[in-house]
Amino acid sequence: MPSFAARTGRAIARWSELWNTLTGKSGGGDVVGTANGSGYAHPLYKDYRLDIPETPTRPILGSLEYSRDLLEMIEWSPEARTALSFLSRDPFMEREGRIGSWQVGKTIGGDAKVNPNVIAVANELKNRRYGKQLILGGLRLQEAARQALGTGDSFLQLAIEKEGITRGRYCISRSLYMPPMSMFVGEDEVGDECGYYQRLDDGVEIPFSPLKILHFSYERRRLYGESIFFQSIPGWRKLKRTAPATEKIVTQNGVAPWVHTMGSTATERDRENYERKHQAERANGFLSDIYVPHGATVRKAEGNVSGISETVNYEQQLIKRMIPLGLPAYFFSSLSNTEPNAREIAGQPAMLYARTIASIRSMLGEQIRWALDIELCLAFGHDFVVQNPYDIVWPKWDVLPPAQMSPHSQEEKSTEGEDESDDASTEETQNRRLRAL
């Protein structure tokens, strides 16, 4: 572990860089780099490759193919789309269905009250806009959750500028999402993050100060996170290969042809005349009656239904493997054979999903604290940040319906309702409601 002197030196270096940013020695106001990635489709195996929104330049486990597969799944897989929709939406949902966002709790560690200046600056940052777009509040971080879960990482660039014309205070003025698969993390001699840079298609690298990048990582391993779909890459490749074959099998086995069997005395000329007459009658319209010569028969050929069933079951197994941990299988309409009786056993699927949402909120809250620390340092100095701790809290989110909640949960809700009627404890009640699960 680095010594105290080394950690102190890195902290001083980071805040000195902030000072350089404020004094104009390093460009801090404008956002740089490009937020758009050009579409990418490899000419090889074109039938099995789908278009993606950006060109990956950062390999995963040394392979750009893995990077490409993740981007492809996010865009084209219905299962990935459904999972990311739930997981990036629900962290911002409140009890009554309103859209909620992060904020600073009024207390910390039980009864200790948070400095009112911290709460005021946090509320100002949460409601600050660049044009019509919120900088960090509202649903602005929903895309961060989606990118971090889908690709493992999300990078949000911040701009630091003076506020207004007359006021001389610096603040975070805007934010810009960067393409996650072209952003790299710089590493120092002890393996810590020391900066970021974007590598474009032509090999040009654009550096960024570590102060200006909010790096959201899901289940980080050293410098980068890991996508919830990484283990689904083999299944996704098999699905793309088997989909055309499945369609062909269903088409061939699902359509049984009519078999016209001629009598034993019929000649080849009789067969040709019968076929010609039957085709002409069918071309004129629907055949309600068929007249066959003596000894001939007309019947439907038997299709291989068992082959269709085996093919569909195999495809269903591949889809199941793509569902990430923490999401109940009955969320996905493409899975027809989910077990309904296993859905509500002690509420375990909902509880596991709630823990997943809480983990995502923690990931977002870690980077929100970094942005708010910068904002507080710009307003009051570094000593103020060290001496005034705080917590990031989220709106209360009920996972289970009231009928499935435990008696303890029902009693707690009833107690909250009584507290709401008491004007003296209304503030504390609201604070408890905003606690994260």
Side-chain angles (χ1 to χ4, degrees), residues 8-250:
T8 304
R10 287 199 301 272
I12 293 175
R14 287 185 176 180
W15 291 110
S16 64
E17 187 170 3
L18 175 60
W19 171 257
N20 291 336
T21 300
L22 300 180
T23 55
K25 293 183 179 179
S26 60
D30 296 332
V31 292
V32 296
T34 173
N36 300 318
S38 58
Y40 180 77
H42 200 281
L44 188 62
Y45 305 120
K46 180 66 176 178
D47 292 340
Y48 301 134
R49 288 174 174 263
L50 304 173
D51 293 336
I52 55 179
E54 65 173 279
T55 303
T57 59
R58 175 168 59 86
I60 296 179
L61 291 183
S63 172
L64 285 175
E65 287 300 310
Y66 290 153
S67 305
R68 191 190 194 287
D69 286 330
L70 289 178
L71 291 173
E72 200 175 62
M73 273 192 288
I74 293 173
E75 292 296 322
W76 295 99
S77 169
E79 292 71 36
R81 175 67 177 81
T82 300
L84 291 178
S85 176
F86 279 111
L87 293 175
S88 62
R89 177 200 65 187
D90 288 347
F92 301 91
M93 298 297 294
E94 290 193 47
R95 278 178 172 174
E96 296 83 6
R98 295 177 298 177
I99 299 300
S101 185
W102 61 269
Q103 66 177 347
V104 171
K106 293 182 173 60
T107 60
I108 184 171
D111 298 330
K113 292 189 176 181
V114 176
N115 190 316
N117 291 327
V118 175
I119 299 176
V121 172
N123 290 334
E124 182 185 359
L125 178 62
K126 185 179 66 173
N127 296 311
R128 187 176 300 155
R129 296 177 181 269
Y130 182 81
K132 296 175 62 177
Q133 181 66 62
L134 288 168
I135 295 174
L136 287 177
L139 296 179
R140 179 59 171 167
L141 297 182
Q142 186 173 357
E143 179 64 17
R146 183 178 183 274
Q147 289 183 356
L149 293 166
T151 66
D153 300 276
S154 178
F155 301 87
L156 184 64
Q157 184 184 172
L158 304 177
I160 302 175
E161 297 174 314
K162 279 189 175 182
E163 184 181 7
I165 300 176
T166 59
R167 299 179 64 180
R169 186 172 75 89
Y170 284 85
C171 67
I172 299 174
S173 59
R174 60 182 298 194
S175 59
L176 176 70
Y177 280 103
M178 307 302 294
M181 285 304 180
S182 65
M183 290 292 294
F184 290 76
V185 180
E187 185 178 4
D188 61 14
E189 66 279 0
V190 295
D192 291 337
E193 296 184 15
C194 64
Y196 303 89
Y197 61 95
Q198 182 185 19
R199 182 178 297 167
L200 305 181
D201 303 345
D202 53 4
V204 176
E205 295 183 355
I206 304 175
F208 300 93
S209 165
L211 290 171
K212 295 183 57 180
I213 296 293
L214 299 185
H215 182 194
F216 303 89
S217 290
Y218 184 73
E219 295 187 351
R220 179 179 300 190
R221 294 184 176 181
R222 291 189 66 247
L223 300 178
Y224 299 98
E226 182 177 291
S227 169
I228 59 174
F229 300 112
F230 179 74
Q231 283 74 26
S232 303
I233 290 178
W236 171 247
R237 292 177 175 178
K238 292 177 182 178
L239 272 175
K240 289 193 297 179
R241 290 197 302 266
T242 58
T246 302
E247 181 181 4
K248 184 177 181 180
I249 291 173
V250 171

Side-chain angles (χ1 to χ4, degrees), residues 67 102 124 202 208 222 261 283 290 299 313 330 365 370 399 424:
S67 305
W102 61 269
E124 182 185 359
D202 53 4
F208 300 93
R222 291 189 66 247
T261 304
I290 300 178
R299 61 180 178 84
N313 289 337
Y330 54 85
W370 176 253
V399 182

Side-chain angles (χ1 to χ4, degrees), residues 267-298:
T267 63
E268 182 66 21
R269 180 181 294 273
D270 294 335
R271 186 194 67 79
E272 292 178 354
N273 291 335
Y274 173 79
E275 180 180 358
R276 188 181 303 108
K277 179 182 177 182
H278 184 75
Q279 294 289 350
E281 291 176 349
R282 187 169 64 179
N284 290 332
F286 177 75
L287 291 178
S288 59
D289 300 287
I290 300 178
Y291 301 95
V292 296
H294 179 70
T297 59
V298 180

